[in-house]
Amino acid sequence: MSSTTPNFAAGVAEGYDRLMFPIFFQPYAAEAAARLSGLRAGHLLETAAGTGAVTAALVAALPGTVAITATDLNQPMLDRAALRLPPGRVTLRQADAQQLPFPDDSFDALVCQFGLMFMDKPAALREAFRVLAPGAPLLLSVWSGLDRNPIPGILQQAVAEQFPDDPPLFMARTPHGHGDIPALTAAMESAGFAGIVAERVTLPCRAKSARHAAMAICQGTPLRAEIEARGTAGLDAVTAFAAQRLAQVLAGGAMDEPVEAPMEAILLTAAKPG
């Protein structure tokens, strides 16, 4: 396990699923599934499946002739995923993407949405290469920086302002700290992948309200633990301050009005030479 990998206990997994899923993950899940919809048979592997955003989209997009195995390091995340998936359609398995428990050349496609930033990239990419069959595609999604993602950027800045001597910087450091395209493509090349294409994809980021978005970032991610560990300001107070700042910027100060801004991720595609 990488030192950056968070531990999503059951309570965090529930909040992550309920709050983060519809705002940030579902739009890119649909995008990933659409890009893999040409797969009509074989066996697809998903790593860092989380609470099943991509998994559910794949089930909707792919025929039953494609077997789907979805893995995650954290069992509570898979437990949440199981609640939205049709029984028997997907094999859910706890597994470390850096040490996959599968034979060489055993999958016909592999997808990993917003998981690579939590891993030792060379190890995870070597494992992806190993378990893919020759000619099989790889699809990765990685967030761009906070400067290209206004909603989490505004919220991260507002939280940091509450702790000027020791700002909690989870969002800047981890989800949005690994969008270096040359570094990502070099790591994929080093693992053996060919035909690498990196594309910046912008989609709408919509939340029911500034309050809802602030809850998602401050209480539905490991940023919550960083806030609570500092102990100098209550979690609810920090969340409320961040929500107020977001409402001021995007909703004319209205805390319970919908907020929307662009969000950007990098989609990387490649293949194992066949």
Side-chain angles (χ1 to χ4, degrees):
M1 181 192 302
S2 166
S3 61
T4 63
T5 304
N7 179 21
F8 289 92
V12 176
E14 187 277 334
Y16 180 92
D17 183 55
R18 177 172 53 86
L19 297 166
M20 295 289 290
F21 182 99
I23 303 174
F24 300 103
F25 298 144
Q26 202 160 18
Y28 283 103
E31 181 74 17
R35 292 177 181 235
L36 291 167
S37 61
L39 191 66
R40 312 314 292 171
H43 198 168
L44 180 148
L45 175 65
E46 182 185 1
T47 59
T51 61
V54 174
T55 322
L58 290 169
V59 167
L62 299 178
T65 47
V66 178
I68 301 171
T69 295
T71 67
D72 197 90
L73 186 62
N74 291 279
Q75 185 61 44
M77 301 291 268
L78 295 175
D79 293 341
R80 292 291 303 183
L83 299 177
R84 65 166 42 89
L85 299 172
R89 179 66 179 90
V90 177
T91 299
L92 296 172
R93 182 166 178 179
Q94 184 177 16
D96 185 343
Q98 300 156 169
Q99 295 179 307
L100 290 168
F102 305 113
D104 296 355
D105 304 335
S106 53
F107 291 96
D108 301 291
L110 191 152
V111 59
C112 179
Q113 175 170 278
F114 305 134
L116 192 63
M117 60 278 284
F118 296 114
M119 304 171 189
D120 178 300
K121 295 182 187 66
L125 289 168
R126 285 194 301 268
E127 278 293 272
F129 186 87
R130 180 184 67 79
V131 302
L132 280 172
L138 171 71
L139 174 60
L140 303 174
S141 303
V142 179
W143 290 114
S144 298
L146 287 174
D147 59 325
R148 295 174 178 265
N149 287 273
I151 288 180
I154 293 164
L155 293 169
Q156 170 69 92
Q157 179 60 33
V159 170
E161 288 176 13
Q162 299 299 289
F163 304 91
D165 297 328
D166 184 22
L169 296 173
F170 169 77
M171 296 304 296
R173 182 183 66 250
T174 303
H176 294 277
H178 298 267
D180 183 330
I181 290 177
L184 290 166
T185 55
M188 294 171 73
E189 288 173 353
S190 181
F193 288 100
I196 300 166
V197 176
E199 180 183 355
R200 294 188 183 274
V201 177
T202 301
L203 295 175
C205 181
R206 300 186 179 102
K208 294 178 182 178
S209 67
R211 197 186 310 274
H212 192 83
M215 286 281 292
I217 295 295
C218 297
Q219 302 191 21
T221 76
L223 182 61
R224 173 177 188 149
E226 294 190 5
I227 294 170
E228 291 178 326
R230 279 146 179 86
T232 55
L235 177 64
D236 289 341
V238 171
T239 304
F241 178 86
Q244 289 169 354
R245 174 66 58 78
L246 186 64
Q248 289 167 357
V249 177
L250 294 181
M255 291 278 283
D256 294 309
E257 291 297 316
V259 292
E260 179 175 339
M263 59 180 172
E264 183 186 279
I266 301 158
L267 270 61
L268 300 115
T269 56
K272 180 174 179 175

